[in-house]
Amino acid sequence: MRSWQRVRPFAARLAFLLSVLGPGIITANVDNDAGGITTYSIAGAHFGYTTLWIMPLLAIVLVSVQEMSARLGVVTGKGLADLIRERFGLRITAIVLGILLIANLANTVSEFAGVAASMEIFGVSKFISVPVAAVLVWLLIVRGNYRTVERIFLAASAIYLAYVAAGVMEKPDWPLIGHSLVTPHFSLDSGYLTIVVTIIGTTIAPWMQFYQQSAIADKGLKAADYSYERLDVILGSLFAIGVAAFITISCAATLNASGVRIETAKDAALALRSLAGRYAATLFALGLLNASLFSAAILPLTTAYVVCEAFGWESGVSKKVREAPAFFFMFTAFIVVGAGVILLPVRSLIQLMIASQTLNGVLLPLILVVMLVLVNDKGLLGPRFVNGRILNIVSTLVIAALTVLTVMLVVTSL
């Protein structure tokens, strides 16, 4: 009887944890989108295992940044754009909103490009795959509610395990991988410096803080849920960085070993077909399709949240269209434009993807500084939830490092 009494509290805590999990895991994994997969693929194909040392450091930074976002969300019950408007006024909000809108639109286009590229590997024309994907994504958000949408997004997060499977199937050099993870590798080669900065820029994107905090508010999580949501953030961030590492490993073990050069994730999947076999290539292509669909839903959704919060309009996936018309209009507009551009006779989207990363680089330091101000506001969070001295020092160092690196990203992109 006593053993059962001990089990019941544990089971109750586990059930509650599972009910809270979602925003942190989803946000971190969506960042492994078409652009991210392309970046990690190029890193592995062109530079082997030599960029893996960045991954443990990125895990620490990603957890730190997303934890502050989660804390703001659970304590205030508001999205980040809402807090920026209330604290800093309309001028700063308008600047942030303008840059984020342009960057998110460019990123949305690149996600539908990822859908087209992944399905072309299976012989499906973009004129079929892109409209079908757009309609499916639109129906999911407009016709679903928050709980249903979150469960589907969590299932999509699990599909990223395809990259882990692909990496294992290619039988990489595990001792060398272990050494590369803990041994920093520096090179003054411009290509290496560019890929290192791009890896960091694509792993920590400004839209992530906006989406996660809005999702927490939409889900109705409170300060009492903080410890569980913090675990959600940690699990999501570690899983996402692990997937990024396995994408790099997969391409390093095959493409780099064979001297293959690539420009996109589609190139990587096609090259894997001849080097690693049909199954590894199929897993890689399915991972790209899943990531592109996943992100094609999240980025327009993030934009709709941000715009409505900035102007004080109603927002939320569980709302009816008549209850939040601006929210669903903005979401729909981004889907239509993002998918529509891919159906035009555009020769290459590489410059558009580079431009979106540059805009992300411009916005990220500003967002992190704003967040640091907010998480130190005792009037907003109370003395219990504001940053401590050590966390402020760490956060300041992270912001300084990311600022330098994102400036490098902007310079190398121009």
Side-chain angles (χ1 to χ4, degrees):
M1 184 66 178
R2 290 181 180 176
S3 62
W4 169 243
Q5 289 175 340
R6 288 195 296 269
V7 168
R8 282 194 300 177
F10 172 77
R13 288 195 296 270
L14 179 60
F16 187 75
L17 170 62
L18 294 176
S19 71
V20 171
L21 291 180
I25 292 174
I26 291 168
T27 303
N29 280 284
V30 171
D31 202 39
N32 286 335
D33 60 358
I37 293 170
T38 295
T39 299
Y40 305 135
S41 299
I42 291 173
H46 295 188
F47 302 100
Y49 302 119
T50 61
T51 62
L52 287 179
W53 65 273
I54 305 170
M55 297 301 175
L57 299 177
L58 278 179
I60 296 171
V61 174
L62 188 58
V63 168
S64 300
V65 172
Q66 295 306 108
E67 186 277 333
M68 289 194 295
S69 169
R71 194 159 13 115
L72 284 168
V74 296
V75 176
T76 66
K78 296 179 179 180
L80 184 56
D82 204 352
L83 295 180
I84 292 174
R85 174 174 54 83
E86 292 178 356
R87 176 62 186 269
F88 298 98
L90 290 176
R91 180 174 297 178
I92 296 297
T93 304
I95 293 172
V96 171
L97 183 63
I99 298 174
L100 189 69
L101 280 173
I102 298 172
N104 278 6
L105 182 57
N107 283 323
T108 301
V109 172
S110 70
E111 306 312 338
F112 281 108
V115 171
S118 59
M119 291 306 293
E120 284 174 353
I121 295 172
F122 299 107
V124 179
S125 167
K126 70 177 183 179
F127 295 102
I128 297 174
S129 62
V130 171
V132 169
V135 170
L136 288 176
V137 166
W138 185 85
L139 287 174
L140 172 64
I141 303 301
V142 175
R143 298 299 183 187
N145 56 47
Y146 184 86
R147 178 170 294 185
T148 300
V149 170
E150 184 180 68
R151 286 174 177 173
I152 292 174
F153 284 166
L154 285 171
S157 296
I159 297 175
Y160 280 97
L161 289 170
Y163 285 114
V164 178
V168 172
M169 287 175 63
E170 283 142 27
K171 300 178 180 178
D173 186 338
W174 295 111
L176 180 57
I177 290 170
H179 180 266
S180 300
L181 283 169
V182 298
T183 307
H185 173 85
F186 297 100
S187 172
L188 295 179
D189 175 73
S190 61
Y192 183 81
L193 289 174
T194 299
I195 200 65
V196 167
V197 174
T198 306
I199 287 172
I200 296 169
T202 197
T203 304
I204 305 171
W207 67 263
M208 297 173 68
Q209 292 77 57
F210 286 97
Y211 175 77
Q212 179 177 271
Q213 199 167 320
S214 295
I216 287 171
D218 202 357
K219 190 171 184 176
L221 299 182
K222 305 297 182 185
D225 306 318
Y226 167 67
S227 59
Y228 293 96
E229 182 53 36
R230 180 174 58 184
L231 182 58
D232 178 35
V233 167
I234 294 171
L235 291 175
S237 298
L238 294 180
F239 183 78
I241 295 297
V243 168
F246 269 98
I247 294 171
T248 304
I249 290 168
S250 178
C251 292
T254 51
L255 308 187
N256 180 260
S258 301
V260 175
R261 309 287 288 184
I262 62 171
E263 291 186 0
T264 67
K266 179 184 177 182
D267 294 342
L270 291 173
L272 285 172
R273 180 178 293 172
S274 59
L275 294 172
R278 179 165 55 91
Y279 295 112
T282 299
L283 284 172
F284 201 93
L286 286 175
L288 175 60
L289 174 62
N290 173 71
S292 301
L293 275 172
F294 197 6
S295 303
I298 293 288
L299 284 166
L301 190 56
T302 303
T303 308
Y305 274 128
V306 171
V307 171
C308 291
E309 289 168 8
F311 290 100
W313 297 334
E314 288 290 331
S315 64
V317 175
S318 295
K319 301 281 187 182
K320 302 295 183 183
V321 174
R322 64 178 179 274
E323 296 172 331
F327 177 79
F328 289 104
F329 171 79
M330 182 59 63
F331 174 79
T332 303
F334 259 61
I335 293 293
V336 171
V337 175
V341 169
I342 301 304
L343 300 179
L344 296 174
V346 180
R347 178 171 295 181
S348 174
L349 295 170
I350 297 298
Q351 292 303 316
L352 182 65
M353 295 175 70
I354 292 174
S356 69
Q357 292 300 319
T358 302
L359 288 171
N360 283 339
V362 171
L363 187 57
L364 181 60
L366 174 61
I367 296 302
L368 294 180
V369 169
V370 166
M371 286 179 60
L372 194 57
V373 172
L374 291 171
V375 295
N376 280 285
D377 187 343
K378 292 183 179 179
L380 182 67
L381 299 183
R384 177 187 171 191
F385 288 101
V386 294
N387 275 7
R389 181 178 299 177
I390 294 177
L391 187 54
N392 272 332
I393 292 173
V394 172
S395 299
T396 301
L397 291 174
V398 166
I399 290 172
L402 288 176
T403 300
V404 171
L405 289 168
T406 49
V407 167
M408 291 174 62
L409 174 63
V410 173
V411 171
T412 56
S413 300
L414 295 177

